[in-house]
Amino acid sequence: MEAPLDLVARGEAIAPGSSDWFYAPFWDLARPTLPRLEDLRMGLLQLKQRLGLCNPSPPELAPFLEPEEQARLATRTLEEQKTAYSESLLPLTLQPTPDTISLLAGLVAETFTTDQGVLHTIHCDAFALAMEKLLQLPLLRAVAQDFEMLVGTRILLGNWELPAFFHVPSLDAPFRTLKEMEKLTQDRFGLSEWAGS
């Protein structure tokens, strides 16, 4: 019996580093259904760590800043915040790697899921710029149209189904028995099953 051919290993032998693209997390975001938000955020954390990045909030930064700098950060306008945030993503767009493309795609997906319009627009712009730079590389020109269709369109248009939502614990949602909820559902709506969390 003939041994199976490992095309990824063959590609890696010809073009070192190519297997990083094959296994890059952004491919998961090219699927019809998004990962759960918790999984998405765990992946983003791992990517940021691999890239040596973090994005601390002003309160997290405050103990390390002079009072004048703290005051400056606290009084920035929305436009100043948007500019500073966009500029912080620029290095990720200029030399795309599997990790930078995956991070930007993940940020698009996260802000799509959490409905953060301003951040979502900024992340989409950064991802589009990185994808444009990536597809200008001579080795990728032949697959540029397919990549844009399979990956770019899904991510930039937010053409996803959301995953099933899980119940989030809350003080205002104490436990009740299913029998109790089924009785409420039956009495109120004439349904025999409780479909909540």
Side-chain angles (χ1 to χ4, degrees), residues 71-85 118:
R72 189 190 69 75
L73 286 178
T75 57
R76 285 185 304 174
T77 65
L78 177 60
E79 286 306 311
E80 289 171 328
Q81 291 175 48
K82 286 164 59 175
T83 299
Y85 190 92
V118 172

Side-chain angles (χ1 to χ4, degrees), residues 21 24 26-27 92-102 104 126-145 147-148 151-152:
W21 287 100
F26 70 80
W27 292 112
L92 300 174
T93 67
L94 296 178
Q95 294 187 321
T97 68
D99 281 349
T100 59
I101 290 284
S102 294
L104 293 169
F127 177 80
L129 181 58
M131 184 175 68
E132 182 183 329
K133 291 274 185 198
L134 173 68
L135 298 179
Q136 287 173 355
L137 297 173
L139 288 174
L140 293 176
R141 285 193 190 128
V143 297
Q145 191 172 4
F147 189 92
E148 285 178 347
V151 178

Side-chain angles (χ1 to χ4, degrees), residues 19-48:
S19 64
D20 293 343
W21 287 100
F22 184 81
Y23 295 113
F26 70 80
W27 292 112
D28 290 337
L29 301 176
R31 295 181 179 158
T33 303
L34 277 176
R36 291 183 314 142
L37 185 58
E38 298 86 4
D39 297 332
L40 187 57
R41 286 181 167 160
M42 183 57 69
L44 288 171
L45 178 62
Q46 292 168 350
L47 285 164
K48 287 192 284 187

Side-chain angles (χ1 to χ4, degrees), residues 36-192:
R36 291 183 314 142
L37 185 58
E38 298 86 4
D39 297 332
L40 187 57
R41 286 181 167 160
M42 183 57 69
L44 288 171
L45 178 62
Q46 292 168 350
L47 285 164
K48 287 192 284 187
Q49 288 173 342
R50 280 207 303 259
L51 291 165
L53 295 172
C54 64
N55 50 331
S57 65
E60 291 170 315
L61 275 178
F64 309 102
L65 301 176
E66 296 296 327
E68 307 81 43
E69 183 63 10
Q70 289 180 36
R72 189 190 69 75
L73 286 178
T75 57
R76 285 185 304 174
T77 65
L78 177 60
E79 286 306 311
E80 289 171 328
Q81 291 175 48
K82 286 164 59 175
T83 299
Y85 190 92
S86 298
E87 288 174 355
S88 77
L89 294 176
L90 199 55
L92 300 174
T93 67
L94 296 178
Q95 294 187 321
T97 68
D99 281 349
T100 59
I101 290 284
S102 294
L103 178 61
L104 293 169
L107 292 170
V108 170
E110 180 188 33
T111 50
F112 170 83
T113 303
T114 56
D115 199 23
Q116 294 175 284
V118 172
L119 274 176
H120 183 69
T121 300
I122 292 171
H123 292 154
C124 283
D125 290 346
F127 177 80
L129 181 58
M131 184 175 68
E132 182 183 329
K133 291 274 185 198
L134 173 68
L135 298 179
Q136 287 173 355
L137 297 173
L139 288 174
L140 293 176
R141 285 193 190 128
V143 297
Q145 191 172 4
D146 291 331
F147 189 92
E148 285 178 347
M149 185 181 68
L150 294 171
V151 178
T153 301
R154 171 92 56 201
I155 291 169
L156 291 173
L157 296 181
N159 189 14
W160 292 295
E161 297 170 20
L162 292 173
F165 286 99
F166 290 84
H167 176 71
V168 177
S170 171
L171 280 176
D172 65 355
F175 282 88
R176 297 173 180 261
T177 66
L178 286 175
K179 286 187 189 283
E180 180 184 3
M181 292 310 299
E182 285 170 2
K183 183 176 183 333
L184 285 172
T185 304
Q186 174 69 37
D187 292 348
R188 176 89 169 131
F189 300 108
L191 301 172
S192 59

